[in-house]
């Protein structure tokens, strides 16, 4: 496996031009990035000839991988049509209608304000540009299946990278159709660039930004990670794959794409083991998406409707199962230890038990409503999450399948079936998944599905863990600490309440987000840590809390409840049986942790 480090040097490509090459394409796009310091880019498009008298040029209203209407056309200005004999009119928020004699084709231009780095849709500055075509390049219904040629005009010393094949130069990219284009982002600028090969497949890593990452370690671990794909699926649906990493400030998250992923992290969140494992988990998550979502996805999302919501009640499988399977890759590549796996399970269990929304929304409902998810304190109290609760449902399925098949099959076989038999242009629905479960286990999952997918899942964590020789414990002999159900953060006047758990003592006493606690039992909150102050009290104590609401000083009494004083941990059973140990190993790919 040869590793090539291609650092930017003064001898890199000169300023590229807007002239398209002789490469054939139906739609040609020129993107000028030379005004980058102000986040502006100019786009010129040449559309093919048509006998129609009218075409609608559209920019998507959302981008793949983020199930939220983003109104991406809000950054479009200075739209113009080259042929003055043609008439154009903007007919809705993201559609421009062009009318007239279009038999010679159409040339249009427009300015894009590209300053949406956290959305991973478009960003241009004096050091780089990230281009997700859904936020930059328009299409028509008639050209959606046409070939696109994208030519970048960049400052000197910039390097351009994409999962798309290149044209006649390194700043020119070719997409077989618009769907491929919007699922193949481009990163260009001052960056680090590496190439490596695993099992005959080419991979690239491009890093923009400085930080405390170790490029060599990152490359070594990515090599191990990508080799684990065949522990779930039969083959790899690409010949080349690109990992794009943004090490910057004020952003986090990642997005999967057809042949690549973009991962954003704070520049100083790579060095500790916890932070680095989080990075590897994100990389694994997006890599799993190469199959789950990019090769097979639910009804309602095939083909994508770029101008509106794409409803499905299976986003929990698209995202939550991906969160679950990412750890399968990490563990089978020994990039995550059994101890780290148990710590992660403990965190997820604790989070679920502290989420009142688990009794108010199913994972199917959360999937359908993802497009209007409120977020914040409301969601914690009244909703579940397609990622975290989707993970739990996937875990429940995996253990159930392992048990029913005497360890011969697992949840991985379900995803292999989806890949083999439901890849795009096909799609799948609830019944298709239940049919696969029956095929894998010879069991009807209708009742299970009704209880845990359409209904409010109630996982028995003790039973789930015990099947794999594990247990959960607080390790403190049942000791309790005082608990209110409030989450806070420091405020100039005291402690600002950011969340109140439904059904908690604070909830029952009428506290809400936005209240500012200034005193407890008549003593000013001098410490920014509410937990430390509550350590002076016991469960069942009644305390007087003074706070500001709408700038008015108020007082309420709270009867404290109890919470285990220790941290929830998942540990191996001392007397685990051989059967339990075998299930653990088949489940995780790791040896059972004896100590």
């Amino acid at each position: 496996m040869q590793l090539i480090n291609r650092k930017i040097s003064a001898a890199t490509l000169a300023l590229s031009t807007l002239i398209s090459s002789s490469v054939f394409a139906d739609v040609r796009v020129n993107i000028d990035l030379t005004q980058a310091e102000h986040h502006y880019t100019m786009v010129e498009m040449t559309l093919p000839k048509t006998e129609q008298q009218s075409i609608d040029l559209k920019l998507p209203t959302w981008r793949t991988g983020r199930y939220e209407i983003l109104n991406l056309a809000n950054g479009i200005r200075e739209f113009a049509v080259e042929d003055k004999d043609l008439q154009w009119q903007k007919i809705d928020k993201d559609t421009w209608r062009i009318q007239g004699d279009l038999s010679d084709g159409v040339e249009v231009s427009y300015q894009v304000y590209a300053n949406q780095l956290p959305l991973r849709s478009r960003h241009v500055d004096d050091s780089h540009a990230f281009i997700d075509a859904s936020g930059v390049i328009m299409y028509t219904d008639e050209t959606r299946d046409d070939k696109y040629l994208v030519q970048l005009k960049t400052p000197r010393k910039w390097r351009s990278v994409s999962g798309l094949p290149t044209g006649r130069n390194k700043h020119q990219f070719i997409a077989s159709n618009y769907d491929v284009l919007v699922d193949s982002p481009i990163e260009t600028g001052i960056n680090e660039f590496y190439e490596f090969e695993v099992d005959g497949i080419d991979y690239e890593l491009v890093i923009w930004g400085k930080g405390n990452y170790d490029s060599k370690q990152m490359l070594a671990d990515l090599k191990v990670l990508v080799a684990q794909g065949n522990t779930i699926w039969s083959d790899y649906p690409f010949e080349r794959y690109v990992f794009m990493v943004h090490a910057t400030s004020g952003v986090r998250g990642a997005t999967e794409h057809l042949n690549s992923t973009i991962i954003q992290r704070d520049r100083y969140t790579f060095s500790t083991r916890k932070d680095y494992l989080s990075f590897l988990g994100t990389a694994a998550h997006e890599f799993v998406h190469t199959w789950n979502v990019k090769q097979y996805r639910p009804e309602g999302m095939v083909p994508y409707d770029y101008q509106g919501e794409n409803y499905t009640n299976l986003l929990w499988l698209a995202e939550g199962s991906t969160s679950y399977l990412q750890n399968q890759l990490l563990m089978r590549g020994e990039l995550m230890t059994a101890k780290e796996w148990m710590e992660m399970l403990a965190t997820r269990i604790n989070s679920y038990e502290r989420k009142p929304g688990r009794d108010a929304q199913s994972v199917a409902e959360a999937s359908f409503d993802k497009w209007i998810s409120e977020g914040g304190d409301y969601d914690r109290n009244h909703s579940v999450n397609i990622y975290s609760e989707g993970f739990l449902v996937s875990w429940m399925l995996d253990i159930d399948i392992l048990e029913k098949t005497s360890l011969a099959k697992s949840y991985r076989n379900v995803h292999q079936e989806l890949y083999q038999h439901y890849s795009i242009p096909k799609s799948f629905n609830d019944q298709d998944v239940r049919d696969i479960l029956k095929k894998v286990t010879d069991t009807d999952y209708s009742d299970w599905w009704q209880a845990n997918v359409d209904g409010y899942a109630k996982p028995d964590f003790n039973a789930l863990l015990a099947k794999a020789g594990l247990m959960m414990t607080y390790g403190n002999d049942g000791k309790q600490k005082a608990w209110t159900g409030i989450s806070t953060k420091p405020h100039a006047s005291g402690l600002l309440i950011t969340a109140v758990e439904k059904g908690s003592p604070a909830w029952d006493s009428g506290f809400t987000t936005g209240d500012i606690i200034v005193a407890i039992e008549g003593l000013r909150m001098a410490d920014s840590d509410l937990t430390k102050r509550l350590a002076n009290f016991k469960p069942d104590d009644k305390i007087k809390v003074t706070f500001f609401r709408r700038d008015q000083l108020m007082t309420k009494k709270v009867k404290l409840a109890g919470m285990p004083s220790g941290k929830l941990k998942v540990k191996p059973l001392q007397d685990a049986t051989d059967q339990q140990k075998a299930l653990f190993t088949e489940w995780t790919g790791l040896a059972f942790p004896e100590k």
Side-chain angles (χ1 to χ4, degrees):
M1 300 177 186
Q2 184 181 12
L3 173 64
I4 304 173
N5 179 358
R6 297 180 176 173
K7 297 272 189 178
I8 292 289
S9 71
T12 50
L13 294 175
L15 186 69
S16 62
T17 68
L18 289 175
I19 301 173
S20 296
S21 73
S22 58
V23 176
F24 171 79
D26 299 292
V27 181
R28 294 174 179 269
V29 183
N30 294 316
I31 303 178
D32 187 338
L33 300 168
T34 56
Q35 297 295 316
E37 62 272 14
H38 299 298
H39 310 297
Y40 294 133
T41 178
M42 285 300 301
V43 178
E44 295 179 353
M45 292 186 64
T46 301
L47 302 168
K49 302 175 182 179
T50 178
E51 296 304 316
Q52 296 177 209
Q53 295 298 303
S54 175
I55 59 171
D56 287 345
L57 200 56
K58 297 179 280 191
L59 193 74
T61 196
W62 66 286
R63 64 156 179 77
T64 64
R66 188 179 182 113
Y67 310 108
E68 175 185 355
I69 298 299
L70 299 176
N71 295 319
L72 296 168
N74 60 3
I76 305 298
R77 295 291 186 273
E78 300 182 15
F79 185 89
V81 178
E82 180 69 20
D83 189 340
K84 302 304 180 183
D85 292 330
L86 298 177
Q87 303 296 313
W88 69 269
Q89 178 186 7
K90 190 173 183 181
I91 62 171
D92 62 34
K93 63 182 180 179
D94 31 48
T95 307
W96 289 257
R97 177 165 292 165
I98 303 172
Q99 295 176 302
D101 182 358
L102 308 177
S103 58
D104 290 331
V106 181
E107 294 183 12
V108 303
S109 63
Y110 51 89
Q111 181 196 79
V112 181
Y113 180 64
N115 193 21
Q116 296 182 334
L117 186 62
L119 294 181
R120 295 180 292 283
S121 57
R122 57 188 181 227
H123 185 256
V124 178
D125 67 16
D126 58 353
S127 68
H128 93 129
F130 175 76
I131 299 170
D132 183 308
S134 58
V136 177
I137 301 173
M138 298 183 185
Y139 75 103
T140 71
D141 291 337
E142 295 76 20
T143 62
R144 182 165 172 171
D145 292 329
D146 288 351
K147 181 184 289 187
Y148 277 69
L149 177 71
V150 179
Q151 174 72 51
L152 307 181
K153 182 180 180 181
T154 71
R156 294 183 67 246
K157 299 184 180 181
W158 280 28
R159 180 192 353 258
S160 299
V161 183
S162 174
L164 293 169
T166 55
R168 289 176 58 92
N169 63 66
K170 294 296 184 180
H171 299 292
Q172 189 180 85
F173 299 96
I174 303 168
S176 56
N177 55 58
Y178 188 76
D179 293 278
V180 170
L181 182 64
V182 296
D183 237 334
S184 307
I186 300 170
E187 172 67 31
T188 181
I190 307 297
N191 51 56
E192 291 186 33
F193 181 69
Y194 304 89
E195 292 177 320
F196 59 98
E197 180 184 306
V198 177
D199 297 331
I201 298 175
D202 294 326
Y203 295 88
E204 297 172 3
L205 168 65
V206 57
I207 307 172
W208 167 68
K210 301 297 182 181
N212 60 6
Y213 54 83
D214 182 336
S215 302
K216 290 183 180 180
Q217 184 65 54
M218 193 183 295
L219 282 160
D221 291 338
L222 288 177
K223 287 181 183 180
V224 174
L225 168 64
V226 299
Q228 309 311 311
N230 58 17
T231 64
I232 303 177
W233 300 280
S234 56
D235 57 46
Y236 289 70
F238 52 81
E239 296 180 353
R240 185 171 64 90
Y241 188 92
V242 182
F243 289 94
M244 301 176 182
V245 178
H246 288 171
T248 182
S249 301
V251 298
R252 59 182 297 274
T255 301
E256 73 278 3
H257 288 285
L258 189 65
N259 44 33
S260 56
T261 180
I262 169 62
I263 300 171
Q264 295 180 328
R265 293 183 66 83
D266 187 279
R267 65 179 80 254
Y268 299 117
T269 56
F270 292 90
S271 61
T272 68
R273 175 59 186 172
K274 181 180 179 181
D275 283 342
Y276 185 63
L277 184 60
S278 173
F279 165 75
L280 288 179
T282 300
H285 182 99
E286 306 312 325
F287 195 62
V288 169
H289 270 315
T290 310
W291 291 268
N292 186 20
V293 171
K294 293 310 170 185
Q295 294 302 313
Y296 53 89
R297 60 177 179 260
E299 281 183 2
M301 302 187 73
V302 180
Y304 284 131
D305 176 1
Y306 297 119
Q307 305 313 125
E309 296 85 350
N310 291 226
Y311 292 110
T312 172
N313 57 0
L314 286 169
L315 275 182
W316 69 266
L317 190 149
E319 293 294 346
S321 293
T322 298
S323 294
Y324 181 76
L325 293 174
Q326 73 186 53
N327 298 291
Q328 292 283 322
L329 298 191
L330 294 178
M331 290 187 290
R332 292 174 193 281
E334 297 185 353
L335 297 170
M336 171 188 275
T337 66
K339 181 175 183 291
E340 289 167 334
W341 170 239
M342 292 186 292
E343 289 174 350
M344 187 275 298
L345 285 178
T347 298
R348 288 188 177 274
I349 292 169
N350 186 67
S351 175
Y352 189 71
E353 292 188 337
R354 297 267 61 81
K355 182 180 289 188
R358 67 187 184 278
D359 296 321
Q361 189 180 50
S362 69
V363 291
E365 291 169 332
S367 297
F368 193 88
D369 287 344
K370 182 65 178 72
W371 294 89
I372 55 171
S373 178
E374 178 75 14
D377 189 50
Y378 176 80
D379 264 11
R380 283 188 288 272
N381 282 321
H382 301 282
S383 308
V384 293
N385 183 280
I386 60 172
Y387 295 88
S388 54
E389 277 63 57
F391 175 104
L392 295 180
V393 171
S394 301
W395 175 18
M396 294 165 67
L397 272 173
D398 201 8
I399 297 298
D400 199 62
I401 295 169
L402 285 164
E403 195 171 41
K404 280 185 168 59
T405 63
S406 300
L407 309 188
K409 300 288 179 65
S410 72
Y411 192 46
R412 288 173 288 140
N413 293 90
V414 172
H415 282 265
Q416 170 63 4
E417 287 286 326
L418 286 168
Y419 178 49
Q420 286 186 330
H421 302 294
Y422 292 93
S423 285
I424 297 168
K426 289 185 177 181
S427 60
F428 61 89
N429 57 31
D430 297 54
Q431 186 58 54
D432 294 325
V433 181
R434 290 195 293 269
D435 289 344
I436 290 174
L437 288 167
K438 186 171 184 179
K439 176 181 178 181
V440 170
T441 65
D442 197 27
T443 302
D444 186 344
Y445 271 78
S446 297
D447 291 342
W448 189 99
W449 197 272
Q450 181 62 42
N452 297 294
V453 176
D454 295 329
Y456 307 148
K458 290 180 169 49
D460 184 339
F461 293 116
N462 282 308
L464 278 171
L465 293 168
K467 294 178 190 297
L470 304 176
M471 61 175 287
M472 59 183 193
T473 176
Y474 289 96
N476 56 0
D477 300 323
K479 292 181 180 179
Q480 298 274 302
K481 63 181 179 181
W483 175 70
T484 61
I486 290 175
S487 298
T488 64
K489 69 178 182 180
H491 184 275
S493 301
L495 292 182
L496 176 68
I497 296 179
T498 57
V500 183
E501 185 174 319
K502 184 181 178 182
S504 68
W507 178 279
D508 293 340
S509 295
F511 284 92
T512 188
T513 55
D515 291 345
I516 303 170
I517 299 174
V518 295
I520 293 179
E521 285 296 300
L523 294 176
R524 181 172 64 88
M525 278 299 303
D527 200 309
S528 62
D529 189 343
L530 182 61
T531 305
K532 289 182 179 179
R533 184 73 177 93
L534 292 177
N536 298 310
F537 304 97
K538 303 183 299 295
D540 295 326
D541 283 351
K542 291 183 178 179
I543 62 173
K544 183 173 65 175
V545 179
T546 305
F547 63 100
F548 281 112
R549 177 181 291 174
R550 296 183 299 272
D551 293 331
Q552 294 178 330
L553 195 63
M554 300 182 179
T555 299
K556 287 182 180 290
K557 288 226 172 167
V558 180
K559 183 180 179 180
L560 299 172
M563 176 74 69
S565 60
K567 183 180 179 181
L568 177 63
K569 294 182 179 180
V570 172
K571 298 175 61 176
L573 293 168
Q574 291 186 349
D575 56 351
T577 66
D578 289 343
Q579 183 178 4
Q580 289 171 316
K581 293 177 182 179
L583 191 145
F584 179 91
T585 296
E586 190 60 37
W587 173 38
T588 65
L590 297 171
F592 183 79
E594 298 290 347
K595 295 183 181 180

